[in-house]
Amino acid sequence: MPREVMEYDVVIVGGGPAGLSAAIRLKQLAQANQREVSVCVLEKGSEIGAHILSGAVIDPKAINELIPDWQARGAPLKTPVTEDRFMVLTADKAYSIPNGLLPPLMSNHGNYIISLGNLCRWLAQQAESLGVEVYAGFAAAEILCDATENGGAVLGVATGDVGIAKDGSHKAEYQPGMELRAKYTLFAEGCRGSLSQELMARFNLRDGIDPQKYGIGIKELWQVAPEKHRPGLVLHSQGWPLDSATGGGSFLYHLEDQLVAVGFVVHLNYENPHLSPYDEFQRFKTHPAIRGTFEGGKRLSYGARAINEGGLQSVPQLVFRGGALIGCAAGFVNLPRIKGSHNAMKTGMLAAEAAFAALRENRQHDTLSSYPEMFRQSWVYDDLYKVRNVKPGLKWGLWGGSVHGGLHMWLNDLGLGVLVPWTLRHAKPDHESLKPAAEMPKIDYPKYDGVLTFDKLSSVFVSNTNHEENQPSHLQLRDPTIPVAVNLALYDGPEQRYCPAGVYEFVADEASKGVGTRLQINAQNCVHCKTCDIKDPRQNIHWVTPEGGGGPNYPNM
Ligand SMILES: Cc1cc2nc3c(=O)[nH]c(=O)nc-3n(C[C@H](O)[C@H](O)[C@H](O)COP(=O)(O)OP(=O)(O)OC[C@H]3O[C@@H](n4cnc5c(N)ncnc54)[C@H](O)[C@@H]3O)c2cc1C
Ligand code: SF4
């Protein structure tokens, strides 16, 4: 069956903050210059916002530039930060760090506590009202490339076929994917986007660039008892339950309507294969300084998502013929601030400006070189430059690294950046950091109490995750022997612990009469966090987009 073809000026893959901001900016420029520009946004979630998981405390810098009257238009930024606390935890104590000791750039005053998913829903409405075509429930599964042009040019993307059974046969409802062809294609897939990874390999966009670094962020949304609710309070912590060799920390944000977002980020360069980021998060909630907030409350939702941590040293080349990487598909998160959405929005806007200028010159399928130039001149670059040594400095451990990073940020904040001119490098990718299980201490995690702490399956249940079961697995093993022969034998099967959704289980292999063991992949539970694609020690897990509309359905994350 031939594929239907649709033509646009610009196709945007991913309806997150980056993609939607790019779409809005394109249409704003078209209106201001009285030109017709056709723009389409593809989103793999069942609706815009369904796959968005963030903290989130947002720096309003980008939205102020994109839609200056956002307040009058009812943007869901309702809770300004009123109190900003940072704590260091030990197993039974909490030490508050006075705000005056923290670098000013870490301050959250002037920011808003929001649901990023709801901001995206609102941005999509703004985009549609400007004439952007937003298609949710459609995953871009294939890059359309013209290999005959010099070095190849991206011509658009194709959505995945729908209605293919597990065995590869066509079901009654089979529909071939659609080709969306564009003069320029912007990839806004967020952290570890699957097509973005392909583009980086195809166009050598990472040549000479440090490896990207990642964390896994696990989050819950709670409705707390009225007397526990302090709207506007932002709380971050470092320390327990992680040991000092493992990077990470918590966030706890009080939004409106008695809602509290609580989450935990574990840096994915951890070494101990016995570590379970999910269980570290569950333990964190039981700390004496934390548990009180949730006692008497109700957990409403759960989810997980990888976050870029590499910063400036890990930003790849942003452009190739026919398109660009924007937002976290490239990786513009400011790690010490745990903020990336303002930079995602701004880079989307910059790429849109570059694409619009090219369209005005009747260009197509060439390189939008003005976008990386504009990035270099923008406040996104400054934002990342000031904190560039914080993450790599963590090689000196949590405390040594924090002192080095703190000093760095202070001097940059005071305009004395010349005193710290060095740029530390990221030595190796996160999948190379695990040590053999036999060399590392086992970790005994407490049992879940069903009140503050929960097992993975009941967590996945409240993420509203759903995949059509009779479809080929979107978690493909490059070599099916590696999970048992390498991962289980050497690392005690770390995928059982780093996957926050219980997708990977080692079970008795019935075919060998229970003697052997095999890896069972419960792909229908996958919350699309991408951790397996990042952390598998042999890079044996290949994450491809499942049928559009599958995955989590986050309400207010
Ligand atoms: C736990 C956690 C806490 C965070 N806290 C904060 C915070 O407090 N403040 C802050 O500013 N930032 C925070 N961030 C970072 C912030 O969420 C990201 O920087 C931001 O979401 C990046 O926006 P994006 O549009 O680039 O990507 P995303 O928000 O990831 O959006 C990408 C979209 O593209 C879709 N998509 C992906 N691939 C495809 C495909 N092939 N086809 C169709 N659709 C596709 C996805 O479903 C998704 O909707 C946090 C991140 C995490 C994980
Ligand atoms: S299978 Fe991979 S992407 Fe899916 S939830 Fe587990 S670790 Fe995340």
Side-chain angles (χ1 to χ4, degrees), residues 6-14 19 22-23 26 37-42 132-133 135 140 144 154-159 179-188 322-324 326 355 359:
M6 292 167 83
E7 306 262 359
Y8 291 91
D9 289 315
V10 180
V11 164
I12 299 170
V13 180
L26 274 160
V37 172
S38 54
V39 183
C40 151
V41 175
L42 286 178
V132 175
E133 293 175 36
Y135 296 118
L144 303 174
V154 170
L155 305 179
V157 289
T159 61
E179 292 192 3
L180 294 116
R181 294 180 169 261
K183 293 176 179 147
Y184 295 100
T185 310
L186 305 182
F187 291 82
I326 59 177
L359 292 171

Side-chain angles (χ1 to χ4, degrees), residues 215-236:
I216 173 175
I218 304 174
K219 172 182 168 180
E220 293 176 351
L221 185 69
W222 282 69
Q223 184 151 46
V224 299
E227 68 278 12
K228 309 277 177 72
H229 188 221
R230 291 164 65 180
L233 171 63
V234 162
L235 180 66
H236 292 109

Side-chain angles (χ1 to χ4, degrees), residues 267-387:
H267 299 183
L268 283 175
N269 59 357
Y270 68 82
E271 294 179 340
N272 185 348
H274 300 296
L275 185 140
S276 159
Y278 177 88
D279 290 284
E280 296 296 337
F281 172 45
Q282 296 304 317
R283 268 212 294 199
F284 160 76
K285 287 181 289 169
T286 65
H287 191 277
I290 302 297
R291 60 182 307 137
T293 304
F294 302 105
E295 282 165 343
K298 181 173 186 270
R299 185 173 74 147
L300 302 178
S301 191
Y302 165 86
R305 183 80 173 94
I307 180 169
N308 300 101
E309 296 186 344
L312 203 55
Q313 295 90 314
S314 302
V315 173
Q317 283 179 51
L318 298 174
V319 285
F320 41 88
R321 289 170 63 87
L325 298 173
I326 59 177
C328 280
F332 298 108
V333 171
N334 180 320
L335 180 65
R337 295 182 74 200
I338 334 179
K339 286 182 187 54
S341 50
H342 60 309
N343 290 343
M345 291 178 74
K346 179 68 179 175
T347 52
M349 291 155 64
L350 295 177
E353 285 160 25
F356 182 75
L359 292 171
R360 280 184 89 177
E361 292 166 9
N362 294 321
R363 288 163 41 201
Q364 62 174 337
H365 303 151
D366 60 1
T367 307
L368 296 170
S369 11
S370 60
Y371 163 45
E373 282 159 24
M374 286 191 276
F375 160 65
R376 254 323 284 235
Q377 303 303 322
S378 72
W379 50 253
V380 179
Y381 187 90
D382 290 343
D383 192 52
L384 298 182
Y385 186 80
K386 285 181 181 171
V387 302

Side-chain angles (χ1 to χ4, degrees), residues 13-19 42-45 51-58 116 138-140 188-191 195 217 251 253 265 305-307 326-329 333 338-342 344 545:
V13 180
L42 286 178
E43 167 53 49
K44 68 178 162 61
H51 287 184
I52 299 292
L53 184 134
S54 192
V57 171
I58 190 176
L116 192 64
F138 289 90
E189 294 178 289
C191 181
L195 298 184
F251 60 88
Y253 304 149
V265 175
R305 183 80 173 94
I307 180 169
I326 59 177
C328 280
V333 171
I338 334 179
K339 286 182 187 54
S341 50
H342 60 309
T545 46

